[in-house]
Amino acid sequence: MSLVSPPALRARILGVGGHLPERCVTNEELATRVETSDAWIVERTGIRQRYIAAPHETATFLGARAAEAALRDAGVGAEAVDAVILATSTPDEAFPATAVRVQAALGIRRGFAFDVAAACSGFVYALAAADAFIRQGMARHVLVIGSEVYSRILDWSDRTTCVLFGDGAGAFLLGAGPAEGPGLLSVHLHADGALGDLLYVDGAVGQRERSGFLRMKGQEVFRHAVVKLAAVVDEALAANGLDKADVDWLVPHQANRRIIDGMGKRLGLAPERVVVTVDRHANTSAASIPLAMAEAVGDGRIQRGDLVLMEALGGGMTWGAALARY
Ligand code: ACO
């Protein structure tokens, strides 16, 4: 792809899609394996169940299904896709990137493809990259995917983490449209590596001994999430000269019901204007925002022209927000 001087462009959300593994695991089932209870998990997190991938349901497999759903929703063929940007912390292989595997699975043999590693903020980071490529005229149609199989990096003997996460994938097809039309208004990203030890995986392919398990200081992550998400949401609204009252829908990263409800209240949104999937999907990391969006667009809640606010925080520590006129 080459950089040419484009007319003023905006990245429009043409289609959305999601895909979950077949197997659903309830809190009750988990409680037969680790010392926990449905009551504890629901009270602290709002989670009631999660989907857990079978061996063949890899990040590539789930991501490709979600991408196909987004293309179907947009009514656009895979041959029109110029770029695939996939956010994941659980790639199938060190390389090639899962994005490239998805590209191949969709039969796309042109354009470019790469992965984004920003943990639970990965989808917002990937959106920012796609937005920039589209505005610069480097790509007209970009598949932005979040695909995760956290079940592979969970320590299933650690009840403080294994109850919180699930597997799944979600995708947007973005397409170039006129700058004055609907689409992504702005994306805002932040990172602070000094907080990297609050939430991390203690190994990877670069460390021979072990592939690693997720480790988290839950209460500290919670505290940072509340403060940092509030700040980045204010930043996104201010950058567009918009007010909290202008937001039609909050489509947040789905980590914890308490964090989500807190943000909804702070924005003065009626509870039915906050899209919640954490009760059924748990935390699917980079997949949670597009999965939630796919659900709320699919059932007719989010309509064309609505103002949608997306926000996420995750390991890194990374966080960000995006405002879109759907
Ligand atoms: N079942 C039963 N008891 C448990 C479990 C469990 N699954 N996990 C922990 N406990 C116990 C603890 O051992 C502790 O017992 P103790 O008091 O005897 O020591 C007690 O419950 C309280 O533990 P806390 O860690 O204080 O519980 P807290 O209310 O902080 O909830 C939680 C923990 C849910 C992890 C919360 O801190 C949280 O949601 N943090 C945000 C982190 C997050 O969501 N991370 C996801 C990735 S980042 C992101 O996406 C935002």
Side-chain angles (χ1 to χ4, degrees):
M1 293 282 124
S2 58
L3 190 60
V4 290
S5 288
L9 294 170
R10 173 165 281 164
R12 182 145 197 228
I13 303 172
L14 298 180
V16 295
H19 190 84
L20 292 161
E22 276 178 30
R23 181 157 179 256
C24 179
V25 176
T26 62
N27 291 347
E28 285 86 355
E29 186 182 339
L30 264 191
T32 64
R33 287 194 246 154
V34 285
E35 206 188 322
T36 189
S37 67
D38 178 55
W40 191 96
I41 301 171
V42 171
E43 189 199 319
R44 306 289 175 128
T45 71
I47 297 165
R48 294 180 184 278
Q49 61 175 45
R50 73 284 296 138
Y51 291 84
I52 300 295
H56 73 281
E57 291 173 318
T58 61
T60 296
F61 179 93
L62 297 172
R65 298 292 88 74
E68 283 165 356
L71 287 167
R72 262 197 314 278
D73 184 45
V76 171
E79 66 284 352
V81 173
D82 302 306
V84 181
I85 305 176
L86 187 145
T88 189
S89 301
T90 48
D92 297 9
E93 302 149 303
F95 71 83
T98 302
V100 178
R101 294 294 193 193
V102 168
Q103 186 206 31
L106 298 176
I108 304 167
R109 302 203 64 186
R110 53 184 284 277
F112 58 99
F114 64 95
D115 284 359
V116 167
C120 297
S121 314
F123 191 77
V124 180
Y125 269 64
L127 270 185
D131 184 42
F133 287 128
I134 286 175
R135 284 178 193 263
Q136 289 175 0
M138 282 181 72
R140 283 197 69 79
H141 289 101
V142 183
L143 268 173
V144 186
I145 305 165
S147 187
E148 303 280 18
V149 282
Y150 265 48
S151 59
R152 319 264 216 258
I153 54 165
L154 291 174
D155 175 351
W156 287 98
S157 66
D158 175 12
R159 68 175 183 174
T160 69
T161 54
C162 76
V163 303
L164 302 174
F165 297 89
D167 302 333
F172 287 5
L173 179 71
L174 299 182
E180 61 279 7
L184 283 173
L185 304 184
S186 64
V187 189
H188 304 264
L189 304 180
H190 294 276
D192 181 357
L195 302 172
D197 288 342
L198 297 186
L199 177 54
Y200 65 104
V201 177
D202 61 359
V205 284
Q207 299 182 30
R208 269 185 189 283
E209 320 77 56
R210 55 188 180 187
S211 56
F213 289 127
L214 182 145
R215 307 291 177 201
M216 179 175 71
K217 295 185 176 133
Q219 286 192 353
E220 285 181 64
V221 173
F222 194 104
R223 274 198 293 275
H224 281 287
V226 171
V227 174
K228 290 179 165 49
L229 291 174
V232 76
V233 159
D234 288 349
E235 181 188 330
L237 290 170
N240 293 284
L242 292 167
D243 187 68
K244 289 170 186 169
D246 296 314
V247 176
D248 294 309
W249 296 99
L250 174 64
V251 183
H253 168 51
Q254 309 278 325
N256 183 307
R257 186 73 204 237
R258 289 184 291 160
I259 298 175
I260 294 170
D261 288 348
M263 178 59 77
K265 281 204 187 85
R266 195 175 173 276
L267 290 167
L269 281 172
E272 60 271 19
R273 292 269 153 189
V274 181
V275 180
V276 177
T277 56
V278 70
D279 52 335
R280 287 157 292 124
H281 299 175
N283 182 347
T284 57
S285 192
S288 85
I289 288 177
L291 267 170
M293 187 78 181
E295 186 172 283
V297 167
D299 64 22
R301 272 178 288 170
I302 297 181
Q303 296 282 325
R304 288 288 175 196
D306 287 352
L307 187 69
V308 179
L309 172 61
M310 297 166 262
E311 42 85 339
L313 175 137
M317 186 166 271
T318 56
W319 65 102
L323 263 175
R325 181 74 62 190
Y326 177 68

